[in-house]
Amino acid sequence: MKFERFLSIPVSAVFLLMGFVYYITVFVFVEDWIGLRSSAGSLNAMMFTLLCFLCLFSFFACVLIDPGQVPASYVPEVEESRRSDEEPQKNGAQLRHCDRCSTYKPPRAHHCRVCRRCVLRMDHHCLWINNCVGYWNYKPFFILVLYATIGSIYSTFTVIISSFQKDFGGRTPLKVFYVICGAVMISLSATLGTLLVWHIYLIIHNMTTIEYYEGIRASWLARKSGQSYQHPFNLSVYRNITSVFGPNMLKWWCPTALGHLKDGLTFPVSRDGS
């Protein structure tokens, strides 16, 4: 059952962290900053509530959406299996077999030891969503990181502004509370921001985290033999972005707008005239 993924300590910790950040931001720092009863305070509270709802919705999508499983009937094309060993390295369509699943693996699919199955276009297994990040839920994962980063930065600035306006009156415990909250939010913003920048880089180059590290080794081997390595799925910046988010920019911000995705078994490569 997909809902069993919520029965996890890391997933529960994410819910608690979301609730904690929402409470202190709205009912403590916005209240101390401009007051919730003011029009500006109500507006800020509504905006942050909407942002938290989008984070929560994206989080549910990441947990519940299956990243993509290799069909039991999958068999590589005959033409593909007859290619030479050098040709697949150039176009990324080599014949691959999973010894653990005893089945063939499509391009970009990898076996997850935690999920105990092969995952389509696997990026990594994420402990915090108790699920793999793969072909079908990579967009929800990125949108989650994006919204969470924006929310964390907003909360951080709220803490900082509120602390400058707050009259502590020598109350040390209250000062300690503000310092701890500020440190937590700055750390969270830095962590999520770094993760966001990393995945922006991967999307622009049409890579997964696994493919990035595989590319490092492939580049090293290519240099040793006097050749150059190029990631086979790197088409162009626009095509790389739309392959993840879709061609309609209005749907980019919706984590469940996945109608542009196909079967996840084949991918265009740079030799196809892109």
Side-chain angles (χ1 to χ4, degrees), residues 20 24 29 159 176-186:
F20 172 76
I24 64 171
F29 301 121
V159 174
V176 172
F177 173 75
Y178 267 71
V179 170
I180 292 175
C181 289
V184 169
M185 294 316 305
I186 290 173

Side-chain angles (χ1 to χ4, degrees), residues 56-188:
L56 191 61
F57 181 68
S58 301
F59 182 71
F60 269 84
C62 288
V63 175
L64 294 176
I65 295 177
D66 191 279
Q69 187 170 359
V70 179
S73 59
Y74 173 77
V75 177
E77 295 180 3
V78 176
E79 298 82 6
E80 183 177 303
S81 62
R82 291 179 179 173
R83 290 172 181 166
S84 65
D85 291 337
E86 294 182 0
E87 181 68 15
Q89 294 177 2
K90 295 178 181 179
N91 58 36
Q94 64 192 88
L95 184 65
R96 303 161 69 237
H97 187 271
C98 179
D99 295 330
R100 296 183 180 91
C101 296
S102 299
T103 58
Y104 289 108
K105 292 190 294 185
R108 315 186 80 175
H110 293 273
H111 185 89
C112 176
R113 283 178 284 184
V114 179
C115 297
R116 297 179 180 178
R117 63 187 176 101
C118 289
V119 176
L120 298 178
R121 196 190 179 276
M122 180 179 173
D123 187 88
H124 68 287
H125 183 89
C126 182
L127 183 71
W128 302 106
I129 64 173
N130 197 21
N131 196 8
C132 269
V133 177
Y135 185 67
W136 286 99
N137 66 348
Y138 182 79
K139 178 184 176 181
F141 174 80
F142 179 85
I143 297 297
L144 169 63
V145 175
L146 174 64
Y147 288 147
T149 302
I150 296 173
S152 298
I153 293 174
Y154 174 89
S155 182
T156 300
F157 276 103
T158 305
V159 174
I160 294 174
I161 295 173
S162 178
S163 63
F164 278 112
Q165 295 184 352
K166 182 72 173 179
D167 182 14
F168 294 100
R171 291 173 290 179
T172 303
L174 188 59
K175 289 182 180 179
V176 172
F177 173 75
Y178 267 71
V179 170
I180 292 175
C181 289
V184 169
M185 294 316 305
I186 290 173
S187 301
L188 189 60

